Amino acid sequence: MAQINAVYYVSESNDFIEEKAEKMASGLTAKPWQEMPESEKQESLAYKGRVLSITEDDTYGNGYFVTISFPVAYEVPDFPSILTTTYGRLSYEPNVKLIDLQFSNDLISLFPGPKYGIAGIRELVEVKNRPLAMSVAKGAIGRSIDSFHEQMLAHCYGGIDIIQDDERLFEHDWTPLEQRVPVGLAAIAEAAEKTGRTPLYVVNVTGKTFELKERAKEAIGLGAPALLLNVFAYGIDVLQGLSEDPEIDVPIFAHSSLAGMMTRSKQHGISSRLLLGKLMRMAGADAVLFPSPYGRIGINAEEARHVKEQLLQPAEMNSTFPIPSAGIDFNTIANVKKDFGQDVIINLGGSVHRYSGGVEAGGKALIETISKA
């Protein structure tokens, strides 16, 4: 039977930690076995969580790392089942944080991971030996489709490798999907005649959950070369569903908006390394935007390093591009390269838009700074 080992941090100085750990293990799985007739207990006990270890540690204050092993009683696992099993009831506990999920090989092999990953995205943008430069079409919200075309042109002439829709660019009359994608691609083609380069346009796909696959396929039918998904507004399972659909054959960029409600607390929720790192890669994200350690809303440097490791470490599945975002400007690019290496997408939205010479000049300055840092 496949296994998941869940690692928690229990931030309590508690003389009864062994009892608490046992309640965590049984409460998440086969708790009713305690009241069952003896003849039925053994069958239920086979699916009960088992405490593997309890280690005192002061990483998040005063507390313990508790590791519990859960048997997986289904052949094709899904993230809703996994997260309900390992953190469902515990999510109401104020002093328990889910740090990691360790999957047995037979289980993790059922998740194909990213279709493109780092190597595939590099091939699309034809850049091999430096971090990629990305900017966001921030000025498109509330403005006309003509303005969007001008902004796309400026990004292209600036030499940006990846141009992403703002994650808040939803379906509105001024830039609807059926106009935005062709106009964006037309700007890229127009600029390519002079620059010889074709940046990757990442199209934000939004709408009601059960319509999202059709929206994604509509965007691809219009020519969208990559998609952006606000994963935590929909759920990790939606990301996996899009990634594994053979008709959705473009890279998927996963945005971490809303994840803060699960990751920010030291004593509660789910760690960034798990939620924004390991699970995003398993679900098929080709690139992941997450709060950088350089800004006021960012995660700390150690946790950012763990996210990077989960996205990049050798595995059977493709690696995922880390995109530390927010708080990055021209002065922090050197730090990004030092902390993340070559395999990172450096995302400057506001700094490119605010650049004294405009977006085109800002894009050129971004490429130059990345090359020199």
Side-chain angles (χ1 to χ4, degrees):
M1 186 182 295
Q3 296 283 325
I4 300 174
N5 291 343
V7 181
Y8 306 91
Y9 192 79
V10 182
S11 53
E12 294 180 358
S13 180
N14 193 337
D15 294 335
F16 303 99
I17 186 62
E18 290 86 359
E19 180 181 345
K20 183 177 182 66
E22 184 58 38
K23 287 182 178 179
M24 289 165 60
S26 61
L28 286 167
T29 51
K31 187 175 182 180
W33 69 270
Q34 295 166 318
E35 288 80 34
M36 285 180 178
E38 287 296 329
S39 60
E40 299 176 11
K41 275 188 179 182
Q42 291 308 311
E43 184 177 354
S44 182
L45 281 171
Y47 298 96
K48 176 181 170 294
R50 180 166 57 93
V51 178
L52 296 183
S53 64
I54 301 171
T55 306
E56 190 168 6
D57 191 279
D58 61 359
T59 299
Y60 299 100
N62 294 318
Y64 303 83
F65 281 113
V66 175
T67 302
I68 298 173
S69 178
F70 297 98
V72 180
Y74 34 82
E75 293 182 2
V76 184
D78 58 87
F79 288 107
S81 300
I82 288 170
L83 291 173
T84 299
T85 296
T86 58
Y87 200 56
R89 291 178 56 140
L90 278 180
S91 66
Y92 292 96
E93 295 276 349
N95 295 314
V96 178
K97 182 158 186 164
L98 177 60
I99 302 297
D100 194 17
L101 294 175
Q102 301 161 350
F103 299 88
S104 58
N105 290 335
D106 53 345
L107 185 56
I108 203 166
S109 66
L110 299 174
F111 294 90
K115 286 180 181 175
Y116 285 78
I118 291 175
I121 291 175
R122 284 196 178 279
E123 186 174 344
L124 289 173
V125 299
E126 299 181 335
V127 176
K128 293 183 178 180
N129 299 317
R130 62 163 171 81
L132 301 187
M134 178 170 127
S135 189
V136 179
K138 286 183 174 292
I141 298 175
R143 302 183 70 185
S144 71
I145 198 72
D146 291 336
S147 172
F148 177 73
H149 179 263
E150 292 173 5
Q151 187 176 150
M152 290 291 290
L153 274 178
H155 279 98
C156 293
Y157 286 131
I160 298 294
D161 302 310
I162 300 170
I163 308 167
Q164 178 211 290
D165 279 345
D166 194 289
E167 77 275 10
R168 296 159 295 183
L169 187 56
F170 310 124
E171 277 304 291
H172 295 295
D173 292 341
W174 51 82
T175 49
L177 187 71
E178 62 270 17
Q179 293 182 32
R180 188 168 80 247
V181 176
V183 165
L185 295 177
I188 289 171
E190 179 181 337
E193 292 182 2
K194 295 183 179 180
T195 66
R197 300 191 67 248
T198 303
L200 185 67
Y201 174 32
V202 183
V203 178
N204 192 24
V205 178
T206 63
K208 295 179 179 177
T209 302
F210 292 104
E211 300 170 358
L212 205 62
K213 271 197 176 185
E214 293 309 311
R215 295 290 289 166
K217 292 173 185 179
E218 179 185 353
I220 292 169
L222 291 166
L227 303 178
L228 176 71
L229 179 68
N230 289 309
V231 176
F232 299 101
Y234 293 99
I236 302 175
D237 193 54
V238 174
L239 169 61
Q240 184 183 5
L242 295 178
S243 176
E244 294 182 357
D245 191 317
E247 295 182 50
I248 300 175
D249 55 353
V250 299
I252 300 175
F253 284 56
H255 199 287
S256 64
S257 181
L258 285 182
M261 64 184 176
M262 292 178 273
T263 62
R264 291 295 289 182
S265 172
K266 292 182 178 181
Q267 288 80 35
H268 186 256
I270 303 175
S271 71
S272 294
R273 71 188 74 175
L274 175 61
L275 195 66
L276 307 180
K278 181 180 288 187
L279 297 188
M280 289 295 95
R281 184 177 178 184
M282 289 176 64
D286 297 284
V288 177
L289 293 92
F290 59 91
S292 82
Y294 314 108
R296 63 182 177 81
I297 65 169
I299 57 180
N300 64 52
E302 180 184 6
E303 196 65 9
R305 177 177 59 81
H306 285 302
V307 172
K308 178 193 74 171
E309 290 170 353
Q310 291 296 336
L311 297 176
L312 299 181
Q313 67 184 2
E316 292 298 318
M317 64 184 66
N318 285 331
S319 54
T320 296
F321 248 129
I323 312 179
S325 302
I328 297 177
D329 56 26
F330 289 98
N331 296 320
T332 55
I333 288 174
N335 290 332
V336 179
K337 288 183 68 173
K338 177 175 66 71
D339 295 339
F340 287 87
Q342 294 294 320
D343 284 331
V344 64
I345 296 175
I346 298 181
N347 178 23
L348 266 71
S351 294
V352 166
H353 283 266
R354 291 190 298 267
Y355 199 77
S356 58
V359 170
E360 180 178 338
K364 291 176 179 178
L366 172 56
I367 297 294
E368 182 180 3
T369 306
I370 288 174
S371 299
K372 290 181 177 179

